[in-house]
Amino acid sequence: IERLSGAAVVAASETVSAGYNRGSTSIGVRTKMVFTTKDWDTHGIYNPSTGIITIPVPGKYLINARIESATGMGASGYNVLDIAKNGTLATKIIGTNYGVTGIEAVSIGSCTENCLAGDTIGIYGSWQTSNTAFDNAESTWFTITRVGN
């Protein structure tokens, strides 16, 4: 019996997908988000210790992410959500305040990246000063799904 593993055994029609959310953490200038709670991960592509997604097979990957931060933002504050591929910025999304008091900011967005096997994806949050990301699944999360070859 021989055990096969890696990209060679992921079929072209097979779904590669993951979704994680996180607890609260302090974010400052371009802080890598480490999502700690797994919703699903079909091929173990996300490492919740490092915050890195490793692409198992080439294709087009749809990445959706949301960060929400609070505590002391002020009426003019905003946060930024960066999606990096192989350590280089791929997409930047500027968030805005919302709510009556103006102390919350949210960044939500998506992008589609052409990836090769072994490429890495990181999700980064930024705020002008140290702040706290909300600690519930509805507020700070990501999903990634291979949508094409």
Side-chain angles (χ1 to χ4, degrees):
I1 297 174
E2 180 183 357
R3 182 179 184 267
L4 299 177
S5 64
V9 298
V10 180
S13 61
E14 198 172 339
T15 298
V16 177
S17 181
Y20 284 75
N21 60 69
R22 54 171 293 122
S24 65
T25 191
S26 179
I27 61 172
V29 178
R30 199 161 195 271
T31 303
K32 186 189 314 170
M33 305 298 286
V34 179
F35 299 85
T36 54
T37 305
K38 177 171 69 173
D39 291 324
W40 73 91
D41 193 340
T42 61
H43 291 78
I45 65 174
Y46 180 71
N47 183 330
S49 296
T50 64
I52 295 293
I53 301 162
T54 302
I55 302 300
V57 291
K60 291 176 179 59
Y61 286 80
L62 175 63
I63 304 158
N64 296 294
R66 183 181 197 275
I67 60 170
E68 182 173 329
S69 45
T71 67
M73 289 194 159
S76 63
Y78 65 92
N79 61 21
V80 177
L81 172 66
D82 289 344
I83 298 175
K85 182 172 107 177
N86 297 324
T88 302
L89 178 65
T91 300
K92 181 179 286 289
I93 300 154
I94 304 293
T96 58
N97 277 339
Y98 70 93
V100 176
T101 60
I103 62 166
E104 301 169 357
V106 64
S107 292
I108 186 168
S110 64
C111 66
T112 303
E113 291 295 323
N114 288 314
C115 295
L116 301 173
D119 281 351
T120 60
I121 302 292
I123 299 169
Y124 295 80
S126 293
W127 178 245
Q128 295 117 327
T129 60
S130 182
N131 222 311
T132 303
F134 274 5
D135 62 356
N136 59 48
E138 295 81 21
S139 295
T140 303
W141 50 262
F142 85 88
T143 64
I144 182 169
T145 302
R146 185 174 65 164
V147 294
N149 295 323

